[in-house]
Amino acid sequence: TAEDSKVDMNKIYLFDIDGTLTQSRGKMNDFVSDNLIHALKKQEFYFVTGSDFDKVKEQVSAQVMEYVAGVFT
């Protein structure tokens, strides 16, 4: 329904990358990536990481990055 596709702007989600969405310093797998894209279309997500942005781009696919609201490094 149209209601299901709306973004809930009353909530934001912050996710660590290393050891949470990926193995430490590893690349995000397809299962996590596909499910994350589905969720990103409905919620506002940010990544929080101790890595620099170049490392984030190595770990996270361009498709996922299209939907992420921002990255805190």
Side-chain angles (χ1 to χ4, degrees), residues 1-7 41-42:
T1 66
E3 193 68 28
D4 291 335
S5 65
K6 289 185 180 178
V7 173
K41 291 178 180 179
K42 296 181 179 187

Side-chain angles (χ1 to χ4, degrees), residues 13-25:
Y13 296 88
L14 305 171
F15 281 95
D16 178 54
I17 297 172
D18 286 326
T20 305
L21 297 175
T22 69
Q23 293 294 323
S24 185
R25 309 293 288 170

